[in-house]
Structure formats: structure tokens, C-alpha cells
């Protein structure tokens, strides 16, 4: 575990609505699936203007196959003596407390962290996250793609050990600072999203530590050639057997065949919510269109593409709790 501390320069006019501090995070993992585990984690704490306050790094024993050793370099032998996540959870939380979590493809890092805290029967003290991919789009940076290496090259940041959590976090912190200042200069609204802890989730069986096959790392995810969209592997579902009856009308029941889309964090694991919707006879849509009956989101003020489209199309919106109540009384499809 490593630390350093720097003194921030004198303050200049700054948007008062911006956060007071950031935690730039990178985690390396055994893979991309929901049952995968963190094998290393790094946090660079930054002040309101993006200046480094300190940094921290740790290995984590995933209690299973370490996954793509050829990417992150962490073998079973190295990880066997590392602390378990529950043993570093308190210190990790102290690094995140009161700060906006910043990551490259932040939905992935946050989802892995939230799941590890759920396993440890604890809650990460994170309320908002900021994705540097989304920020680079807001700034209109002329990047060839959304890999971390491209963002680093744009700002002249040199990568020393790609896919090493500490170096990836350092690179991101150095690229985030000028991005943040450019956003402040232009008066941009930061693309902050709400973070919800998992309170209901499932784990699939995982292989024991020792087998080194398959998997990916988050450092490679959106920074080494892997997809940069949703972190969840797509699931093949049977086609909904009922026709779409149209949009949901507030105050009425859902009806079998309605197209339901989800956006943002949910306290119940997304797969569980989707499974329950399918079991009730609803059509789970991966995107939002004019045919979508209802959007479920806990953050209706966010700027996600689904929320933006829902506003454009006038699609009804409810939160997770309201959707759970509606699921209990879905009207059968018309014969």
C-alpha cells in the first residue's frame, strides 16, 4: 500500500455546484460477469480542483480463479496471501467516503465494488459516480476511441503499467484533472450519476482459486479493447408471447406484453428485476423507443440516453419501488 501527498495550488473562481472531492478508482477483476471478483484496487483521492491528495493500492484474494493472468499479471500464488475483501473493506470505504467515485467506464467499477460490499454485508459510502468516458463526450474531446490509453495520450499522460490498478488510477487521475478544469472553464454540468448499494442479489457458483482460464479485467474494459457499453453480458431471453398493448397509464395496472426498459442503478440486482418482469409476462427491452411502455429508473434527472429519450418521447417513468408494486398485479393480456 502506497501513499503520497501534494499541496493544491491557490484557488481560482470555481463552480460552486461541483463536488468537493473525488476518488479516482480502478479495480482489476477475475472477469466481467456478476459473479466475478476484485483482485486488486487503487484509489487516488483528489481535491475539488483535481489535485492529488494521496493514493492507495491493495491486492485482494478473490477466493477463486484469478482469471486473465496474462492481462493483470496476478497469479494464484500472488493472491493467495493477499487480504480478503472484507479485510480491506473499511480502509477502502475510508478512501471513498464523502467523494464522487471517478472511473473509466464507471458503471463497471462501481458495480464490482457494490457487489463486493454486499458480499461483505456492508455498504460502500458512495452516493455519486462520474464516468470519464461520459465526461470526454461532454467536452467533445477529439479522441479516436474511448480507451483509457487514448484519453491519456490526448493529455500527454504516459502509461507505465497498463492493467495495473495503481498505474491505471494514476493515469486516469492525471487525465481527469485537465478534463475537470476544462468543464469548469466552460461551465459544463458534470455527468454525475446516483450510486445505489445492492440490497438484493444472487451469486452463481464460481471455480476455486487456482484455475487460470477465461475472464477479463476492468483495466482492459474500455481501456484495452473490450466493449465500453454495459458491463453486464447480454442474456438471451425467449420472445415475449404477448403483443404490446401500448404505454403504461399512471394509476393503472401494467399489462402483459408491455415493453419495459431499465436505466441506472437499482438496489435489487438488475437481472433479478428483469427475470421478475419476464415471469409476469412483460417484455424487457434493452433500449428505449417510441414503442416502450415504461421506463424504470431511480434517477429520473440523470442524463442517460434512456432518460433523455423518455423525455423526448413522453414515455412514462417510475422508480424501482413503484415498479415492484406494479409487478404484484399485472393485468393478463387480452385473448
Amino acid at each position: 500500500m502506497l501513499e503520497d501527498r501534494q499541496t493544491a495550488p491557490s484557488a481560482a473562481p470555481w463552480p460552486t455546484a461541483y463536488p468537493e472531492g473525488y476518488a479516482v478508482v480502478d479495480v482489476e477483476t477475475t472477469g466481467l460477469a456478476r459473479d466475478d471478483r476484485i483482485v486488486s484496487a487503487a484509489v487516488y483521492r483528489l481535491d475539488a480542483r483535481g489535485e492529488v491528495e494521496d493514493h492507495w493500492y491493495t491486492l485482494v484474494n478473490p477466493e477463486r480463479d484469478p482469471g486473465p493472468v496474462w492481462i493483470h499479471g496476478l497469479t494464484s500464488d500472488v493472491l493467495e496471501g493477499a487480504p480478503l475483501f472484507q479485510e480491506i473493506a473499511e480502509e477502502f470505504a475510508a478512501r471513498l467516503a464523502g467523494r464522487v467515485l471517478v472511473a473509466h467506464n464507471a458503471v463497471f467499477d462501481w458495480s464490482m465494488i457494490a457487489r463486493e460490499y454486499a458480499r461483505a454485508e456492508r455498504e460502500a459510502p458512495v452516493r455519486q459516480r462520474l464516468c470519464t468516458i461520459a465526461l470526454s463526450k461532454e467536452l467533445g474531446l477529439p479522441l479516436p476511441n474511448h480507451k483509457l490509453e487514448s484519453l491519456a495520450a490526448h493529455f500527454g499522460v504516459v502509461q507505465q503499467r497498463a492493467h495495473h490498478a495503481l498505474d491505471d488510477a494514476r493515469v486516469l487521475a492525471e487525465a481527469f484533472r485537465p478534463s475537470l478544469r476544462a468543464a469548469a472553464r466552460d461551465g459544463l454540468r458534470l455527468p454525475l450519476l446516483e450510486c445505489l448499494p445492492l440490497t438484493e442479489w444472487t451469486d452463481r457458483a464460481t471455480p476455486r482459486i487456482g484455475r487460470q482460464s477465461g475472464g477479463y479485467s476492468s483495466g482492459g474494459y474500455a481501456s484495452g479493447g473490450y466493449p465500453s457499453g454495459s458491463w453486464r453480458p447480454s442474456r438471451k431471453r425467449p420472445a415475449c408471447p404477448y403483443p404490446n398493448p401500448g404505454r403504461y397509464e399512471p394509476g393503472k395496472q401494467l399489462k402483459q406484453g408491455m415493453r419495459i426498459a431499465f436505466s441506472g442503478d437499482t438496489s435489487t440486482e438488475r437481472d433479478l428485476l428483469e427475470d421478475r418482469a419476464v415471469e409476469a409476462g412483460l417484455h424487457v427491452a434493452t433500449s428505449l423507443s417510441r414503442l416502450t411502455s415504461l421506463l424504470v429508473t431511480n434517477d429520473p434527472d440523470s442524463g442517460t440516453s434512456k432518460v433523455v429519450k423518455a423525455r423526448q418521447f413522453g414515455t412514462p417513468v417510475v422508480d424501482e419501488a413503484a415498479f415492484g408494486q406494479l409487478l404484484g398485479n399485472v393485468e393478463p393480456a387480452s385473448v
Side-chain angles (χ1 to χ4, degrees), residues 118-289:
R119 286 191 186 96
E121 298 182 347
R122 299 187 56 163
E123 183 177 314
V126 178
R127 297 296 171 262
Q128 289 182 307
R129 66 176 180 265
L130 188 157
C131 180
T132 47
I133 294 176
L135 181 57
S136 67
K137 291 179 179 179
E138 290 285 337
L139 291 170
L141 300 182
L143 304 177
N145 52 54
H146 296 297
K147 297 179 182 179
L148 177 58
E149 62 192 54
S150 298
L151 183 64
H154 177 78
F155 289 111
V157 180
V158 178
Q159 289 184 290
Q160 298 172 352
R161 296 182 64 186
H163 309 302
H164 186 285
L166 182 61
D167 196 59
D168 280 352
R170 175 193 62 82
V171 168
L172 189 58
E174 292 186 20
F176 176 63
R177 185 185 307 110
S179 298
L180 178 63
R181 291 177 178 174
R185 178 197 64 212
D186 296 342
L188 291 181
R189 175 181 177 271
L190 295 179
L192 301 175
L193 292 178
E194 182 182 10
C195 289
L196 292 180
L198 279 178
T199 58
E200 187 177 355
W201 55 282
T202 59
D203 239 344
R204 304 177 187 89
T206 56
R208 300 176 191 167
I209 188 167
R211 221 182 78 202
Q212 299 172 4
S213 62
Y216 304 91
S217 74
S218 70
Y221 201 76
S223 64
Y226 302 121
S228 60
S230 171
W231 78 284
R232 301 181 314 121
S234 60
R235 301 179 68 196
K236 293 289 185 181
R237 298 184 184 276
C240 182
Y242 309 111
N244 184 356
R247 287 189 171 175
Y248 165 72
E249 295 182 39
K252 295 188 177 182
Q253 295 172 261
L254 290 173
K255 190 170 183 177
Q256 288 182 329
M258 283 186 171
R259 296 175 65 94
I260 310 299
F262 296 88
S263 178
D265 289 359
T266 52
S267 57
T268 300
E269 186 177 72
R270 179 76 66 83
D271 284 348
L272 289 178
L273 277 179
E274 292 181 354
D275 287 345
R276 290 168 186 170
V278 170
E279 290 167 2
L282 303 173
H283 178 155
V284 174
T286 57
S287 60
L288 195 141
S289 71

Side-chain angles (χ1 to χ4, degrees), residues 299-312:
D299 194 3
D301 296 324
S302 71
T304 65
S305 60
K306 290 179 184 176
V307 168
V308 171
K309 287 182 179 179
R311 292 196 197 105
Q312 293 173 346

